[in-house]
Amino acid sequence: MIVVGGGPAGCAAARMAAGVGMRSVLVEPDALCRNLYRIGALNNVLGGHATGPALADAVTAELRATELCRMELGRRAVELSAADDHVAVILDTGARLTAPYAVVATGVGPLQPGDAPWITAPADLVLPPLWQADAPDAEGRTLLVLGGDRPIGTFLRAHPATATRLLVAYPEADAYKTEEIRDDPRVTLLPVGHLALHTCDGAGVRAEAVGVDGERHALTADAAYLSLGSAPTAPAGDLVRAADGYCPPTGQHPRILVAGDLRAARYQRIMTAMGSGGEAALHAYYATRERPAGG
């Protein structure tokens, strides 16, 4: 089995495959569970791991000890194709991998200002997501946060003693996501109809926002970060994508199994990712056993 993506879903798929005697090749362009290392506090996983790095270390150690899994780290899957009897994955090196099944668990990446219709910003502006900020980035500073997505709460829990001010500008559609941060004294919430970023560089941030009531606000901050949500990232080829860009498991080629955050926005949790990865591996295992010889 080929596993594309080395996050919680992909790692769980490879581990489950090994547990039932299946060999796998795991393709990951970065480190295993790389995004977990940026989560300073966990409150929705089993196993007693209080932080993302603790969980990532445990998952990585277990997978590295899994003899039936070969890892292609530092390699990116650029194209995926499915035939009647196999799946082929082309890597960025030009190498071609084939197997009876592939689990695709490439997850999501952060939306940028240009992806949000309520933000006007330079076309080439790329900002980091808030979860990449650490205590030195935040201590004693004012951070403009674009969007009200839930990682803001994770950031605040991870840095409970950090003296920072988060100026959170968000559209009305994100209002329900801000409930958990409304009472934190470090947060100033600003629901907006539109926001224009004028300056965003090493000298600071200047922006103008139009509130939902039509009032204009001049905003200044030391730095800007994103909490806009995420967009699916998947290799080109035979994956079936819905209108929102996600790749639902149903409707895919029978030899392509989708797991983790790539499935849909509503189930983006570590535990659901791991469960879906394990389920995908078992699906491949049982399908292989049920097929007639040569099928």
Side-chain angles (χ1 to χ4, degrees):
M1 186 176 71
I2 301 170
V3 181
V4 185
C11 289
R15 185 65 189 88
M16 179 63 76
V20 293
M22 292 179 67
R23 294 185 179 274
S24 66
V25 179
L26 187 151
V27 180
E28 166 56 48
D30 205 316
L32 294 179
C33 295
R34 65 189 186 279
N35 288 338
L36 287 183
Y37 285 101
R38 297 165 177 144
I39 300 177
L42 293 176
N43 64 350
N44 60 354
V45 297
L46 295 171
H49 300 289
T51 69
L55 177 59
D57 286 344
V59 171
T60 298
E62 185 163 349
L63 199 60
R64 288 188 179 279
T66 301
E67 295 182 358
L68 292 179
C69 176
R70 175 168 66 87
M71 287 181 279
E72 291 282 350
L73 301 182
R75 299 289 181 261
R76 185 180 303 276
V78 296
E79 187 175 353
L80 182 148
S81 60
D84 289 341
D85 60 351
H86 71 277
V87 177
V89 174
I90 307 299
L91 304 185
D92 51 0
T93 60
R96 183 175 185 267
L97 306 176
T98 62
Y101 290 89
V103 174
V104 184
T106 47
V108 295
L111 291 169
Q112 289 294 326
D115 299 314
W118 56 277
I119 298 175
T120 299
D124 59 348
L125 179 65
V126 176
L127 295 176
L130 182 61
W131 45 258
Q132 286 188 2
D134 55 24
D137 295 323
E139 182 63 44
R141 307 178 79 203
T142 297
L143 307 182
L144 174 63
V145 181
L146 304 180
D149 211 38
R150 290 193 176 93
I152 300 174
T154 300
F155 173 85
L156 293 169
R157 289 191 297 271
H159 305 289
T162 299
T164 187
R165 178 182 176 228
L166 299 186
L167 180 56
V168 180
Y170 62 95
E172 286 189 282
D174 281 1
Y176 74 99
K177 300 177 183 179
T178 65
E179 292 296 331
E180 67 171 319
I181 62 174
R182 288 184 180 277
D183 295 331
D184 194 302
R186 296 171 291 175
V187 174
T188 298
L189 295 175
L190 181 62
V192 302
H194 185 264
L195 181 140
L197 275 171
H198 298 307
T199 304
C200 188
D201 52 31
V205 179
R206 288 192 309 107
E208 183 179 27
V210 179
V212 293
D213 56 1
E215 185 177 352
R216 293 184 176 274
H217 304 266
L219 308 178
T220 60
D222 296 300
Y225 288 88
L226 300 174
S227 193
L228 294 171
S230 302
T233 60
D238 289 343
L239 278 169
V240 177
R241 293 164 172 79
D244 58 5
Y246 285 91
C247 302
T250 57
Q252 303 292 337
H253 188 282
R255 293 188 178 275
I256 297 177
L257 308 167
V258 178
D261 292 357
L262 189 61
R263 297 173 300 160
R266 67 189 307 174
Y267 298 120
Q268 291 179 4
R269 299 290 188 273
I270 295 168
M271 285 187 39
T272 58
M274 287 184 168
S276 70
E279 182 180 3
L282 285 178
H283 182 97
Y285 169 72
Y286 288 121
T288 300
R289 292 173 63 85
E290 293 165 2
R291 286 181 179 274

